[in-house]
Amino acid sequence: MLDAFGAGYYLSLASRIVVYAIAATSLNLVLGYGGMVSFGHAAFVGLGAYVTGILVSEGVLGIGWHLLWTVAVTALVAAAIGAISLRTRGVYFIMITLAFAQMLFYLANSVKGYGGDEGLSIKARSLLGFGLDLKNPLVLYYVALGVLALSMVALARFVPSRLGRAVLAIRDDDVRAEALGFPTYRLKLVVFVVAGALGGIAGALNVNQQGYVSPNVLHWTQSGTLMVMVILGGVATVWGGLVGAAALLLLQEVLSAWTEHWEFWTGWVLLAAVLFARQGLVGLLLARRHRPGPSPPPGIGDTR
Amino acid sequence: MSGVLVLEQALNGLQFGLMLFLLAAGLTLVFGVMDMINLAHGSLYMVGAFVAAWLVGLTGSFVLGVLGAVLLTGLFGMALEAGLLRTLYARDHLSQVLATFALILILNDGVKMIFGTDLPLSAPAALAGPVELLPGLQYPAYRLLILGVGLVLAVALWLLVQKTRLGALVRAGASNRTMATAMGTNIPALFTIVFGIGAALCAVAGALLGPLLAVQVGMGENILILAFVVIVIGGIGSIRGALVGSILVGSIDTLGRTLLQHVLREFLPPQWVGAAGPALASIAVYVFMAAVLAIRPQGLFPART
């Protein structure tokens, strides 16, 4: 729809929103539905961006290769991180995921061959074949939109499925789920890995969109931003990732056009959201439409 | 690698660790007693540094600047707690993360609006020179001051927590908040005081480290992460854990940065050492945390019953 405007700026903004929405949705999977507060999710996004970026700078341009390697590497790393982290719970899980993300951040800082702390710029982009190239902003937008749509449909189908119900049961009370015979550790690990891989795909799209990746993409404040998008949009809702990403990025755009102190006002809006929109924006919108509103997920970050 | 160099770096590590302790102590109390994740704790450190720099510029006296900053930041912390953060205690940790993250944004830009992106702050002229601790070991006098202040505050905090009634209430609250409330502790007032003390300690660290690390917007973010690592290693709610943890982390970080370079130089080509050294040193802290969690998941000195 936006291509009718023809304005490159809006297309680029929309693409950014969609790519962030994919990342936020992947975090919502692990955080909202899986109940695992991973404070290191930006690491997977960054990892995907770096894998694709490095492949492009080495001359490997086919999107098939990019997706294959991105998913393989991020899934593997997520499996390793998850295997260790999921042995902990509560705030310790949060800290250890953060720790691993920080390790990857410092690793990215030290890869002198691929930019180091200055980051990596790429000249080319992923090739889709049939003459289609992600350098074309329109193609990029539609590819990203397609990935987002697929992710959301998959998520919507996952939740009521047997696997989904098992995961939700574990989220709500993993001791009881364990007692009932669910393989809690294995299921949580699966969710963690899938979410990580999807985050990696978002990263691959991100480096294509920006033409650049730097260690900052893996910084813990980026993980924080993703969490903010999820919480703002609506934890454990299919639309939460998209709504949160769109809300935050649009807010930043609008505010930064108006004042250089947009961070200040963004903070206040977020604060208002926490205090007055407890179920996130999706919850707010749903509550307006019909009462009672969606039942809030139990305190996901609760640690005892 | 001379013994003098190692000793000097060890002192630097101890000094950084003690300043880290000032942040970690406040953070562990807030997390332990009020069960609140406060991401804005680093921002209080930043506010303390800026206010100190501003006051020193205004009065010309380093001592007045630091004391004023401590007082003002403590009051600011208490106002923040009573006005806003209080409503977050009942909420889940995710909401606390969102709210305090928002607070970081507000305070970062707020400070920028009032003071600008950075302010100069230099150590008092009287302490600008080195002191000879041992033959051949010259150590900056200012860093000795930081060490001294850090040790005094560590002892004072220990006395407060272990020997006073307030401390007993704090320990009770950290150990089992529900029971403490049931036993009649005036929780709201206690929380405000705890938060205020935490904010004041942040201000001391911010003001003292200002001349060494530069007073600038966003200075809180990096040290906040280290503070969280410290309290996880030390055990949430434990001052003793915060002290041990911060000295360990401070030492690993400082010694890692400097000594690791020397060790790596033996094995790696020079162009890699410049990048790998700091990277590995930074990772070392997290590897240490992961190791501690693997062996003692509750931290070294868990306060929770």
Side-chain angles (χ1 to χ4, degrees):
Chain A
M1 341 145 246
L2 283 162
D3 60 325
F5 286 60
Y9 167 73
Y10 290 109
L11 191 57
S12 142
L13 176 62
S15 300
R16 262 202 308 141
I17 290 177
V18 172
V19 170
Y20 264 100
I22 298 172
T25 304
S26 70
L27 179 60
N28 210 349
L29 171 63
V30 72
L31 189 154
Y33 292 103
M36 299 171 260
V37 184
S38 164
F39 213 142
H41 205 70
F44 299 121
V45 179
L47 198 57
Y50 264 99
V51 167
T52 302
I54 289 174
L55 283 173
V56 169
S57 66
E58 293 295 325
V60 180
L61 295 180
I63 197 167
W65 288 116
H66 294 170
L67 281 179
L68 186 72
W69 279 101
T70 299
V71 170
V73 171
T74 45
L76 209 66
V77 173
I81 293 178
I84 303 175
S85 311
L86 284 170
R87 298 194 184 280
T88 64
R89 316 175 54 163
V91 67
Y92 302 103
F93 175 79
I94 302 176
M95 290 308 297
I96 214 168
T97 51
L98 174 65
F100 280 118
Q102 286 293 89
M103 289 190 220
L104 287 172
F105 167 74
Y106 287 115
L107 205 71
N109 256 306
S110 61
V111 279
K112 287 288 183 212
Y114 295 110
D117 61 344
E118 288 183 355
L120 177 70
S121 296
I122 53 174
K123 300 266 176 8
R125 299 288 189 276
S126 308
L127 295 177
L128 278 76
F130 310 114
L132 288 176
D133 186 342
L134 285 190
K135 207 169 212 158
N136 181 333
L138 206 58
V139 174
L140 179 82
Y141 173 71
Y142 279 115
V143 168
L145 199 62
V147 172
L148 178 65
L150 271 172
S151 317
M152 287 171 67
V153 166
L155 190 60
R157 295 194 133 189
F158 163 76
V159 173
S161 73
R162 290 193 62 183
L163 182 63
R165 288 199 186 288
V167 169
L168 286 173
I170 295 171
R171 177 197 75 181
D172 292 346
D173 192 332
D174 68 339
V175 176
R176 181 168 52 189
E178 181 86 33
L180 284 171
F182 288 114
T184 54
Y185 175 78
R186 233 183 303 156
L187 287 177
K188 279 162 100 165
L189 188 58
V190 166
V191 172
F192 193 81
V193 169
V194 171
L198 185 58
I201 295 177
L205 288 168
N206 182 38
V207 71
N208 268 293
Q209 205 246 331
Q210 306 275 40
Y212 171 72
V213 61
S214 83
N216 285 331
V217 182
L218 296 106
H219 198 247
W220 73 270
T221 46
Q222 279 292 96
S223 290
T225 303
L226 285 175
M227 281 179 77
V228 166
M229 287 178 181
V230 170
I231 301 169
L232 185 64
V235 172
T237 63
V238 173
W239 289 88
L242 173 56
V243 170
L248 193 63
L249 288 175
L250 285 173
L251 187 66
Q252 285 179 359
E253 286 296 316
V254 167
L255 287 177
S256 59
W258 173 51
T259 167
E260 68 166 296
H261 296 293
W262 57 272
E263 275 198 350
F264 184 73
W265 298 110
T266 305
W268 283 108
V269 172
L270 289 179
L271 211 50
V274 177
L275 296 174
F276 305 118
R278 292 190 173 214
Q279 263 79 267
L281 290 172
V282 171
L284 199 67
L285 292 169
L286 285 177
R288 285 252 179 86
R289 240 199 285 147
H290 54 83
R291 294 162 189 233
S295 61
I300 287 164
D302 280 348
T303 60
R304 283 289 176 268
Chain B
M1 219 180 358
S2 66
V4 170
L5 180 65
V6 176
L7 202 56
E8 187 186 340
Q9 291 308 321
L11 282 173
N12 283 352
L14 181 65
Q15 168 229 305
F16 183 56
L18 284 170
M19 290 299 105
L20 201 54
F21 166 67
L22 294 181
L23 265 101
L27 198 62
T28 203
L29 284 181
V30 167
F31 205 157
V33 177
M34 287 99 99
D35 196 25
M36 182 172 82
I37 297 183
N38 179 18
L39 293 182
H41 201 73
S43 303
L44 290 171
Y45 160 84
M46 173 187 69
V47 167
F50 268 91
V51 172
W54 173 63
L55 284 177
V56 169
L58 215 61
T59 64
S61 158
F62 188 76
V63 176
L64 277 181
V66 174
L67 288 176
V70 170
L71 190 67
L72 288 174
T73 312
L75 287 172
F76 176 66
M78 290 203 280
L80 196 63
E81 192 274 344
L84 170 69
L85 296 175
R86 176 168 294 210
T87 56
L88 294 175
Y89 297 149
R91 302 286 297 272
D92 58 287
H93 284 183
L94 274 182
S95 299
Q96 294 168 354
V97 165
L98 181 55
T100 51
F101 190 88
L103 210 52
I104 294 179
L105 295 178
I106 295 174
L107 288 175
N108 268 349
D109 238 2
V111 163
K112 205 196 300 187
M113 288 197 278
I114 301 176
F115 296 112
T117 46
D118 51 63
L119 279 182
L121 177 62
S122 36
L127 294 171
V131 167
E132 186 156 14
L133 294 176
L134 294 172
L137 176 62
Q138 303 271 38
Y139 200 64
Y142 183 66
R143 286 181 182 258
L144 281 176
L145 172 75
I146 297 183
L147 270 171
V149 172
L151 285 169
V152 165
L153 282 176
V155 171
L157 208 56
W158 180 80
L159 284 172
L160 180 74
V161 170
Q162 293 293 120
K163 303 285 182 193
T164 67
R165 189 138 181 275
L166 174 66
L169 291 175
V170 165
R171 275 182 291 129
S175 163
N176 193 324
R177 186 158 38 106
T178 331
M179 271 315 278
T181 323
M183 300 296 260
T185 318
N186 181 359
I187 291 297
L190 179 69
F191 287 2
T192 310
I193 293 173
V194 168
F195 202 85
I197 293 175
L201 290 173
C202 282
V204 176
L208 288 180
L209 284 178
L212 295 175
L213 297 179
V215 177
Q216 57 197 11
V217 169
M219 67 193 280
E221 262 106 83
N222 290 323
I223 207 166
L224 175 74
I225 284 295
L226 282 181
F228 267 111
V229 169
V230 164
I231 70 174
V232 166
I233 289 175
I236 293 171
S238 162
I239 293 288
R240 195 184 344 168
L243 184 60
V244 172
S246 45
I247 292 179
L248 283 172
V249 169
S251 305
I252 292 175
D253 196 59
T254 309
L255 287 171
R257 270 168 215 290
T258 48
L259 298 183
L260 211 56
Q261 303 263 39
H262 286 263
V263 174
L264 284 176
R265 228 164 253 157
E266 315 284 317
F267 302 104
L268 291 178
Q271 66 267 28
W272 286 88
V273 176
L280 283 176
S282 310
I283 294 179
V285 170
Y286 296 104
V287 170
F288 179 63
M289 178 182 86
V292 170
L293 286 183
I295 304 169
R296 266 179 85 85
Q298 303 287 49
L300 295 173
F301 300 97
R304 292 250 175 93
T305 51

